[in-house]
Amino acid sequence: MAGTVTGAGAIRVRVARVQGSAPREVGAAMTVRADGQEGTIGGGRLEWEAAAEARAMLAEGRTERRRTIPLGPALGQCCGGTVTLSFAAIDRVEAAARVPLWIWGAGHVGRALAQVMAPLPGWAVTLVDFDTARLPDPLPDGVTPLIAADPARLAPHAPTDADHLIVTHSHELDLALCDGLLRRGFASCGLIGSATKWARFRKRLTALGHDTAQISRIACPIGDPALGKHPHAIAVGVAAALLRAPGQVQGRMDTA
């Protein structure tokens, strides 16, 4: 079924069905605008063609379609499976209002943050981790999973208008993400950790070439101490801070 619309601001492309091997799972999605895109359905020629189709839909005023694509030599991909993509228009208000929110780490706190933030209308949530098995099951509606063996290598490709929450399992990965995101640019960035951890990070980030003003843009600790240290309590505190002042994730939670 297809239709036309004159007020579409973006097209949401979602993996609707997978048969055989494919780069992303059902539910993975990206949002495509005339001048950019967020999220990923697996990269490569598949994503390139889907983005081109989405922009053609915007230009022509079409609102929806489905397309089944074999992932074989004709596409230049060797997965061997078949992917069905759904394309759906988002109106200008919805497209403009959704701020990219990248949650780095799908441990207890990362999963809680995704579950708390996903239902809120203001953010388009991407949950980044190194292992699909660590993702929440079921994945909350509206959350785009992004899996990479080395998540820090994604930092140079993150949207520069995104809010970021760094809650990984590793202090070294946390530091690499802080460094990468400072070089990339961001709307806001929050790091879970204690005051002691942040003092060490400030010294190491200075040694990596970042000045004090840049480093101070990262909020650490995050959360609300009055709510406690349970993962969902931390998530609620962070969500409250973002709702009170979008782009601000500063909190005072002292966690290791």
Side-chain angles (χ1 to χ4, degrees), residues 15-236:
V15 178
R17 186 182 181 192
V18 170
Q19 292 180 291
S21 179
R24 294 299 304 276
E25 66 288 338
V26 171
M30 66 180 183
T31 299
V32 181
R33 306 183 310 275
D35 60 351
Q37 65 191 68
E38 290 88 36
T40 179
I41 58 169
R45 185 66 180 270
L46 170 68
E47 185 164 301
W48 186 89
E49 287 202 2
E53 175 67 22
R55 292 191 177 98
M57 289 177 64
L58 288 171
E60 296 164 10
R62 288 181 288 151
T63 62
E64 60 184 80
R65 71 161 299 181
R66 287 172 73 92
R67 183 179 174 192
T68 298
I69 304 173
L71 304 176
L75 196 66
Q77 295 196 215
C78 57
C79 299
T82 301
V83 171
T84 299
L85 302 177
S86 66
F87 298 74
I90 305 170
D91 66 35
R92 294 186 189 280
V93 174
E94 182 182 355
R98 290 171 60 84
V99 174
L101 173 63
W102 284 43
I103 301 170
W104 300 84
H108 295 305
V109 175
R111 292 195 298 270
L113 284 165
Q115 290 162 351
V116 169
M117 295 301 301
L120 300 175
W123 289 271
V125 180
T126 297
L127 181 57
V128 185
D129 203 82
F130 64 92
D131 185 356
T132 303
R134 288 165 51 85
L135 296 173
D137 184 15
L139 192 71
D141 289 343
V143 173
T144 299
L146 186 53
I147 303 300
D150 182 5
R153 296 181 65 180
L154 297 176
H157 307 286
T160 56
D161 61 344
D163 294 321
H164 296 272
L165 297 168
I166 301 173
V167 291
T168 83
H169 66 295
S170 163
H171 284 204
E172 288 302 314
L173 178 54
D174 288 351
L175 181 68
L177 288 168
C178 288
D179 177 41
L181 291 174
L182 283 170
R183 297 181 192 282
R184 173 62 171 167
F186 51 78
S188 73
C189 183
L191 169 68
I192 197 167
S194 64
T196 301
K197 172 183 173 179
W198 184 228
R200 291 198 306 268
F201 272 37
R202 286 199 303 268
K203 291 180 181 178
R204 295 181 69 180
L205 289 169
T206 299
L208 288 168
H210 303 289
D211 62 35
T212 301
Q214 288 178 302
I215 296 169
S216 66
R217 294 193 62 215
I218 298 177
C220 182
I222 57 174
D224 184 341
L227 299 177
K229 295 184 179 181
H230 187 281
H232 276 83
I234 297 172
V236 168

